[in-house]
Amino acid sequence: MSTDTLTKPADRGLPTRVLTLASGSAGSGKSTLAGALAEQAAAHGRTVCVIGLDRQRDVSRLLGYDDPDADENQLTLIDVVDGLGTLDQALVPGRHSKTKEPIPNLWLVLESDRLDSLSVKLAGVTGREMWLQRLLQELIGRFDIILLDCPGNLDLGTQGALIAATEIVGCTKSQEKEARGLTALEDKIADLHKTFGLMGMRDGLDWIVIGEGVTGVSQGKVYFDIERQVREAYGDLVVQPTIRDDVKVPESYSASLPVTLYNPKTEAAIAYVKVGKAMKLYD
């Protein structure tokens, strides 16, 4: 499919929300959440851009591009960092992985397997942690929502996304490893804020989304207690509802589709729709 047939959003002075989806732990459901929120916000008429920062390229896969590095003529995010093009030139339409039809209102900047070289590429750059904030200026005002899907670590890619965010979304599960990742994320935010707070960086989490949660004590008291502790610790920051464990989520990943597009009537898809509404991404 050629992108020439689709018109990229122009600058309309939109009050762009930049949501960074992050965690101090891998496997916390960030890409699944990014794909579902992006697809639903676009379906509700919002103009959405997704930028993936993970060399695993999961969100690119969910939104129609199984192997972004395979197309030598298509710019990826790391190509933009290398100065081979701009974010505007790297924009591609989100598309249905099976039909290849474009998803209206949804655009993305593709990930690359070479994103693990980001720290090396920016080693000599002054204020290198602000690399993404500088790049994003080209897109601000053109999209209602920009979603930044971070890798499962707190390295330079995630740091850049945290600094660039207007809202920070902590992603976790009803498991100890992922819950501890929230604490690590908070520590990193606090550390970065000391230096970049005067430049507008957020000073804490704005939302917390719990994925793959159990439905009751019968499914595992430890998991149930961890979810309860997260809700007690973070209060209103925790978005309702919890995304309950649902076989359709791994099925949708295997099908390379957001679960909200793969099976919109499944429990997890319905929960993701409600999460987006709770975050006021759409009505």
Side-chain angles (χ1 to χ4, degrees):
M1 179 186 64
S2 172
T3 60
D4 294 338
T5 60
L6 297 170
T7 303
K8 298 176 183 179
D11 189 348
R12 294 178 286 146
L14 294 172
T16 304
R17 295 173 64 179
V18 180
L19 283 77
T20 291
L21 281 56
S23 173
S25 171
S28 58
K30 297 179 295 297
S31 297
T32 302
L33 177 63
L37 293 182
E39 189 275 328
Q40 274 300 293
H44 282 79
R46 305 297 186 267
T47 308
V48 184
C49 177
V50 179
I51 300 178
L53 302 162
D54 194 338
R55 68 182 302 272
Q56 293 187 23
R57 301 165 289 175
D58 285 340
V59 77
S60 296
R61 184 169 183 263
L62 289 173
L63 297 176
Y65 298 83
D66 188 59
D67 186 6
D69 292 302
D71 186 351
E72 296 181 356
N73 296 317
Q74 176 57 57
L75 293 171
T76 66
L77 180 59
I78 201 68
D79 294 322
V80 177
V81 173
D82 281 338
L84 301 179
T86 65
L87 277 186
D88 176 75
Q89 292 170 332
L91 284 174
V92 295
R95 62 187 186 184
H96 192 292
S97 297
K98 302 307 178 187
T99 67
K100 305 305 179 184
E101 290 297 311
I103 301 174
N105 303 318
L106 179 54
W107 296 78
L108 65 154
V109 176
L110 298 175
E111 297 156 293
S112 170
D113 182 53
R114 294 175 287 126
L115 277 166
D116 60 352
S117 66
L118 186 64
S119 295
V120 174
K121 292 179 181 295
L122 296 174
V125 177
T126 302
R128 63 179 189 153
E129 296 88 350
M130 298 183 67
W131 70 276
L132 188 52
Q133 186 177 65
R134 288 190 282 262
L135 290 178
L136 283 183
Q137 298 313 304
E138 189 176 358
L139 303 183
I140 299 299
R142 298 171 61 180
F143 293 92
D144 295 298
I145 300 165
I146 296 175
L147 293 169
L148 305 177
D149 180 33
C150 296
N153 59 53
L154 299 172
D155 290 346
L156 188 59
T158 300
Q159 292 174 36
L162 293 173
I163 293 168
T166 63
E167 300 165 54
I168 299 175
V169 184
C171 301
T172 189
K173 293 181 180 179
S174 299
Q175 299 179 29
E176 183 176 1
K177 178 175 74 74
E178 286 78 11
R180 289 171 64 120
L182 285 179
T183 302
L185 176 59
E186 285 189 298
D187 290 344
K188 177 56 68 175
I189 292 170
D191 182 57
L192 289 171
H193 188 263
K194 294 175 185 177
T195 302
F196 300 101
L198 292 176
M199 301 173 191
M201 181 191 166
R202 307 292 296 162
D203 61 358
L205 295 167
D206 295 279
W207 312 95
I208 294 173
V209 176
I210 303 176
E212 294 188 25
V214 297
T215 57
V217 177
S218 62
Q219 290 182 280
K221 186 177 185 303
V222 172
Y223 300 140
F224 185 81
D225 285 345
I226 289 173
E227 180 179 333
R228 177 180 53 78
Q229 290 166 14
V230 169
R231 290 195 176 278
E232 289 178 353
Y234 293 100
D236 291 342
L237 293 182
V238 185
V239 181
Q240 296 280 8
T242 293
I243 313 299
R244 298 299 172 189
D245 195 13
D246 189 330
V247 69
K248 295 302 179 183
V249 173
E251 281 184 14
S252 68
Y253 179 80
S254 295
S256 301
L257 290 169
V259 66
T260 50
L261 194 57
Y262 174 71
N263 189 333
K265 294 184 179 181
T266 195
E267 182 179 356
I270 292 170
Y272 278 116
V273 173
K274 291 179 178 177
V275 164
K277 288 183 178 179
M279 296 171 68
K280 299 179 173 58
L281 298 180
Y282 42 82
D283 300 326

